[in-house]
């Protein structure tokens, strides 16, 4: 009992530290990668349901070009006959902020969301690395020491790609830029997103034009409400609670995008994407990624954030990357290195909401029967169930094996977090939220 109390105190200290360290951060920067993924999903769904031949033959003539992201020259049209590369690809996804009204959407703008998605067409698996926007790096071309999110403002997407190559050794194959107004407009174009709001949310920021007034319960969020839901932070959990809501929102968004009603929304969604997305991918490439995405097993999607710690230098707050753990994440997610197991049993952990105590006890009993030692921790604020790998030796294959024996975690999202923020003295943690 004493050990559990100590763990609870340690976790409270962790939450307090996070709130203090991120208090001055912009709301947009802390929405991680939700905006980028949301719009990409909308594009892919549109590509899936459109008849490719009809779009190409009737929408574009041999000598015609189109506005927006779908631009074709005669040479590019020939790419439609080119076989899709079976090798793994690194796709750079950037969420671009706004410089205000009546300004260019892409010039001189920061990339407050930076995500590298490693896609393997052979195994239909996806691994994604989120790079904190405040990461302290040296920009190529003698641009000096800067936060990585300034690379796009200084030198556009090419400087971002060079920075990632020289800092992390990762070659970017393709890129996709998404403007920060896109999610609000995409949600409205889709007719709203059904979601369960876990608590009453009320907040007004008149200078930032952010007004949130959501009641607890099941509801359908419009564009502005969805942005408010994703940006809400006054729940005692700061960025942790916000990250959980992003993941919850993504689940609801995927369900919406798979519904038959989306077909009627395609023209409006395409209009939004044409105005708020920029990419070097051809229509053919987008369609191939879309076809692959349609067949991706959710159990083969793995997400991680580059680990580090905040550091204040004067009025500037940096995220100082942990070199060893960052390399570990890159090796796992980009190069897909497999850890060497020593044969010892993993230690399990369960974090659970008070209302899920019976479920937590049942899972603990099953894990014990399988030979795993399990530590448990009850926490009031848990809004998203998931499976967290705290150590590199815990692979997604292990998770898939465990799912066969534990139907309770079948639809759980797999997160790799070497910072061990969700560890209960454990190698892996099952997080059981109320909803």
């Amino acid at each position: 009992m004493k050990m559990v109390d100590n763990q609870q105190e340690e976790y409270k200290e962790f939450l307090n530290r996070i709130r203090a360290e991120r208090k001055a951060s912009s709301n947009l920067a802390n929405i991680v990668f939700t905006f980028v993924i949301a719009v990409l999903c909308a594009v892919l769904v549109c590509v899936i349901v459109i008849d490719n031949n009809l779009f190409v033959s009737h929408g574009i003539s041999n000598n015609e070009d189109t506005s927006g992201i779908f631009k074709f020259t005669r040479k590019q049209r020939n790419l439609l006959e080119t076989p899709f590369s079976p090798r793994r690809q690194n796709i750079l996804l950037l969420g671009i902020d706004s410089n205000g009204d009546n300004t260019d959407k892409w010039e001189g703008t920061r990339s407050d969301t930076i995500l590298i998605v490693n896609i393997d067409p052979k195994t239909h698996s996806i691994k994604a690395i989120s790079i904190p926007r405040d990461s302290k790096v040296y920009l190529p071309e003698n641009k000096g020491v800067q936060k990585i999110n300034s690379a796009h403002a200084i030198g556009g997407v090419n400087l971002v790609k060079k920075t990632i190559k020289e800092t992390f050794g990762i070659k970017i194959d393709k890129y996709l830029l998404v403007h920060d107004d896109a999610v609000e407009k995409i949600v409205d174009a889709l007719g709203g997103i059904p979601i369960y709001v876990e608590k009453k949310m009320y907040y007004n920021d008149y200078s930032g034009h952010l007004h949130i007034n959501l009641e607890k319960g099941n509801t359908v969020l419009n564009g502005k409400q969805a942005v408010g839901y994703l940006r809400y932070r006054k729940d005692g959990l700061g960025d942790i609670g916000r990250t959980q809501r992003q993941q919850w929102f993504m689940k609801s968004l995927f369900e919406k995008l798979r519904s038959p009603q989306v077909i009627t929304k395609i023209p409006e969604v395409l209009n939004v994407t044409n105005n708020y997305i920029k990419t070097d991918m051809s229509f053919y490439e987008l369609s191939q990624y879309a076809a692959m995405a349609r067949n991706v097993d959710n159990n083969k999607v793995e997400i991680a954030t580059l680990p580090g710690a905040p550091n204040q230098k004067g009025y500037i707050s940096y995220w100082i990357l942990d070199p060893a753990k960052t390399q570990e994440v890159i090796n796992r997610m980009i190069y897909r290195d497999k850890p060497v197991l020593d044969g010892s049993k993993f230690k399990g952990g369960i974090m659970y909401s008070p209302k899920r105590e019976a479920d937590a006890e049942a899972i603990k009993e099953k894990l014990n029967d399988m030979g795993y030692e399990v530590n448990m921790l009850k926490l009031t604020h848990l809004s998203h169930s998931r499976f967290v790998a705290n150590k590199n030796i815990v692979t997604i294959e292990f998770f898939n094996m465990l799912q066969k024996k534990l139907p309770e975690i079948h639809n759980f999202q797999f997160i790799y977090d070497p910072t061990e923020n969700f560890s209960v003295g454990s190698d892996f943690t099952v997080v059981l939220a109320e909803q």
Side-chain angles (χ1 to χ4, degrees):
M1 186 68 182
K2 186 175 180 180
M3 181 187 72
V4 173
D5 290 340
N6 289 338
Q7 289 172 343
Q8 288 177 325
E9 288 302 317
E10 290 175 4
Y11 198 70
K12 287 179 182 177
E13 290 178 9
F14 162 72
L15 295 178
N16 289 334
R17 187 170 69 252
I18 290 293
R19 286 196 295 270
E21 291 165 351
R22 301 291 181 87
K23 186 176 180 180
S25 298
S26 73
N27 286 325
L28 177 61
N30 291 310
I31 296 184
V32 196
F33 59 87
T34 304
F35 278 12
V36 180
I37 289 294
V39 181
L40 178 61
C41 290
V43 174
L44 295 184
V45 168
C46 289
V47 175
I48 287 171
V49 297
I50 289 177
D51 183 320
N52 291 359
N53 293 328
L54 181 66
F55 186 93
V56 173
S57 62
H58 294 285
I60 305 168
S61 68
N62 287 338
N63 299 313
E64 229 174 2
D65 194 7
T66 62
S67 60
I69 63 173
F70 301 126
K71 294 185 176 181
F72 297 92
T73 62
R74 185 186 297 273
K75 181 179 179 181
Q76 288 171 330
R77 283 171 55 82
N78 292 333
L79 287 174
L80 295 172
E81 306 300 326
T82 305
F84 188 60
S85 173
R87 70 179 181 86
R88 291 199 299 266
Q89 304 272 318
N90 293 320
I91 312 298
L92 175 64
L93 305 181
L94 299 180
I96 305 300
D97 71 358
S98 174
N99 279 340
D101 297 334
N102 302 317
T103 60
D104 189 289
K105 288 193 292 288
W106 311 112
E107 293 293 327
T109 51
R110 297 170 300 173
S111 53
D112 278 346
T113 299
I114 307 170
L115 191 71
I116 301 172
V117 179
N118 182 268
I119 299 177
D120 189 343
K122 286 185 177 180
T123 61
H124 290 87
S125 60
I126 295 174
K127 296 182 184 288
I129 295 178
S130 176
I131 304 177
R133 67 145 200 174
D134 290 341
S135 297
K136 187 177 183 180
V137 297
Y138 182 85
L139 299 185
E141 303 175 4
N142 296 317
K143 303 301 182 183
V145 175
Q146 302 276 355
K147 294 181 180 182
I148 195 169
N149 76 324
S150 66
H152 186 267
I154 295 172
V157 69
N158 287 332
L159 187 60
V160 180
K161 290 165 63 177
K162 286 182 181 179
T163 302
I164 291 173
K165 178 68 182 298
E166 295 189 12
T167 304
F168 307 110
I170 300 174
K171 180 181 180 297
I172 299 300
D173 296 294
K174 296 292 179 179
Y175 70 82
L176 189 144
L177 313 184
V178 180
H179 194 267
D180 68 6
D181 288 339
V183 165
E184 177 181 339
K185 297 182 184 299
I186 285 288
V187 170
D188 283 337
L190 290 172
I193 300 296
I195 206 162
Y196 176 80
V197 179
E198 66 271 21
K199 64 177 293 178
K200 180 177 174 60
M201 298 180 183
Y202 182 79
Y203 177 73
N204 285 297
D205 178 0
Y206 292 95
S207 61
H209 305 290
L210 177 64
H211 304 283
I212 305 170
N213 188 8
L214 299 173
E215 297 293 332
K216 179 178 179 179
N218 290 304
T219 187
V220 177
L221 302 179
N222 62 30
K224 286 188 179 297
Q225 290 172 327
V227 171
Y229 175 78
L230 291 168
R231 294 173 67 173
Y232 185 74
R233 58 185 285 171
K234 302 296 181 180
D235 59 355
L237 289 174
D239 293 338
I240 292 176
R242 188 158 37 204
T243 300
Q244 292 173 352
R245 281 187 288 278
Q246 294 161 19
Q247 295 164 344
W248 206 341
F249 176 82
M250 283 306 306
K251 185 174 185 296
S252 298
L253 178 64
F254 275 120
E255 292 172 356
K256 176 76 174 187
L257 290 171
R258 289 171 178 166
S259 66
Q261 293 83 359
V262 168
I263 295 176
T264 63
K265 308 291 184 181
I266 289 172
E268 192 173 351
V269 172
L270 281 177
N271 184 53
V272 173
T273 57
N274 276 340
N275 289 313
Y276 293 95
I277 289 181
K278 183 179 180 181
T279 182
D280 63 347
M281 285 185 273
S282 68
F283 178 80
Y284 170 76
E285 289 169 314
L286 282 171
S287 68
Q288 292 301 305
Y289 284 124
M292 198 203 86
R294 182 170 49 181
N295 297 315
V296 165
D297 186 342
N298 289 337
N299 295 325
K300 291 186 178 181
V301 177
E302 189 172 348
I303 300 170
T305 300
L306 290 186
N311 176 268
Q312 191 79 24
K313 185 176 181 180
Y315 292 102
I316 303 176
S317 177
Y318 288 108
W319 181 256
I320 307 299
L321 296 166
D322 182 305
K325 289 185 176 180
T326 291
Q327 190 61 55
E328 183 180 286
V329 170
I330 292 172
N331 290 344
R332 176 184 179 122
M333 308 294 279
I334 302 299
Y335 301 114
R336 305 207 176 200
D337 289 354
K338 299 293 183 182
V340 178
L341 305 179
D342 59 10
S344 60
K345 278 281 187 181
F346 296 147
K347 290 184 178 179
I350 301 175
M351 286 184 178
Y352 62 96
S353 297
K355 292 182 180 180
R356 300 295 302 275
E357 187 162 5
D359 297 329
E361 292 289 351
I363 291 176
K364 179 183 179 182
E365 184 176 347
K366 289 183 179 181
L367 288 172
N368 287 157
D369 290 342
M370 286 183 247
Y372 298 105
E373 176 186 338
V374 180
N375 296 325
M376 296 178 65
L377 177 62
K378 183 191 297 184
L379 291 170
T380 304
H381 297 290
L382 289 173
S383 59
H384 181 76
S385 297
R386 77 204 80 171
F387 181 93
V388 183
N390 302 304
K391 299 290 179 61
N392 189 44
I393 54 176
V394 180
T395 64
I396 199 163
E397 288 78 15
F398 169 78
F399 171 58
N400 296 157
M401 179 276 296
L402 209 58
Q403 285 179 308
K404 295 177 182 178
K405 300 180 179 181
L406 285 175
E408 296 90 340
I409 65 172
H410 270 183
N411 294 319
F412 279 29
Q413 185 179 31
F414 182 93
I415 304 290
Y416 173 49
D417 183 9
T419 63
E420 301 185 34
N421 290 335
F422 285 88
S423 173
V424 193
S426 54
D427 298 315
F428 68 87
T429 304
V430 175
V431 180
L432 297 176
E434 289 186 19
Q435 190 71 12

